[in-house]
Amino acid sequence: MKVKQQLADMWDRQHRCPDGIVGWLVGERMGRQHRPETTWTVDLLDIQPTDTVLEIGFGAGQGIKLAAAQACEGHVMGIDLSEDMVRVARRRNAQAARAGRVMLSQGSITALPFEDQQFDKIMTIHTVYFWSESLQAFSELYRVLKPGGRAVITLCTGKINERGEVEVWSSFQSMLEERVIPGMQQVGFKDVRQERGPDSRQYTNVAVIGEK
Ligand SMILES: C[S@@+](CC[C@H](N)C(=O)[O-])C[C@H]1O[C@@H](n2cnc3c(N)ncnc32)[C@H](O)[C@@H]1O
């Protein structure tokens, strides 16, 4: 039981802030597993060629790559808590980084190292679960977004069971309804709405979209 609990804790820690060899494996695996919701989230942003885009918690950098392909005359920046993920994602986006179109650094959502109103579009995928100071995080998103810009927060809220039915996870559903949507509205986002995304493996995904 103790070993099982230790493994579960290690697994949680590696998803919260992947590090070392295990972190690299976890990051790559997440990148593959999260491809459907990552592609969908990038599409929701409606990225224009000259846009400046921010991704928070980019993990292995798949979303950064997709965004950079669409913002082909613009810039894509990223912040992740894990130094190791910054290294992995930089390698994955080396060409665009050399061209000065992709810039990735270590940091946290709660204190973004950017000026006010810098980004046209912001996305974050499977990270909101880890934000301890979520109101501060939503304020930071709002602060760095340009007027007219859009932010998308994608999260998992449940699972498809063996009978093909959706099993809603109550703690994640309440995070969506009681923290994410009201939090975004409270800091000033307009037209805050949720959209059901593609199922990814056996998990269901929802995005919360807000405009500034
Ligand atoms: C579950 S992984 C998701 C990675 C990627 N978005 C994906 O879907 O594959 C969470 C990522 O968010 C990062 N992260 C966690 N807390 C963060 C914070 N407060 N600020 C920035 N990044 C954070 C972690 O380092 C990790 O790379």
Side-chain angles (χ1 to χ4, degrees), residues 40 69 91 137 190:
W40 174 67
R91 270 203 299 276
K190 294 181 295 202

Side-chain angles (χ1 to χ4, degrees), residues 149-167:
R150 172 177 296 172
V152 178
I153 299 177
T154 297
L155 66 152
C156 170
T157 51
K159 195 174 175 183
I160 314 282
N161 67 21
E162 316 73 61
R163 294 186 298 283
E165 301 154 345
V166 175
E167 269 176 21

Side-chain angles (χ1 to χ4, degrees), residues 98-122:
R98 269 197 303 276
R101 293 202 306 110
V102 164
M103 280 148 274
L104 306 177
S105 49
Q106 194 270 340
S108 173
I109 172 78
T110 48
L112 293 173
F114 302 115
E115 288 173 13
D116 296 356
Q117 306 187 356
Q118 207 177 320
F119 298 98
D120 299 286
K121 310 282 162 61
I122 304 180

Side-chain angles (χ1 to χ4, degrees), residues 37-73:
E37 61 268 42
T38 302
T39 306
W40 174 67
T41 303
V42 170
D43 286 348
L44 287 175
L45 285 178
D46 189 26
I47 295 173
Q48 303 301 305
T50 56
D51 273 353
T52 302
V53 181
L54 172 64
E55 181 174 12
I56 296 153
F58 47 72
Q62 310 275 12
I64 296 279
K65 191 160 187 149
L66 292 172
Q70 295 191 11
C72 50
E73 297 161 35

Side-chain angles (χ1 to χ4, degrees), residues 4-18:
K4 214 169 159 192
Q5 188 55 49
Q6 280 171 344
L7 282 173
D9 290 349
M10 190 266 286
W11 198 241
D12 280 354
R13 248 192 350 266
Q14 287 292 358
H15 281 78
R16 177 183 295 271
C17 186

Side-chain angles (χ1 to χ4, degrees), residues 15-18 30 34 57 59 80-82 107-109 125-127:
H15 281 78
R16 177 183 295 271
C17 186
M30 283 193 292
H34 300 169
D80 196 288
L81 202 56
S82 160
S108 173
I109 172 78
I125 304 165
H126 296 310
T127 66

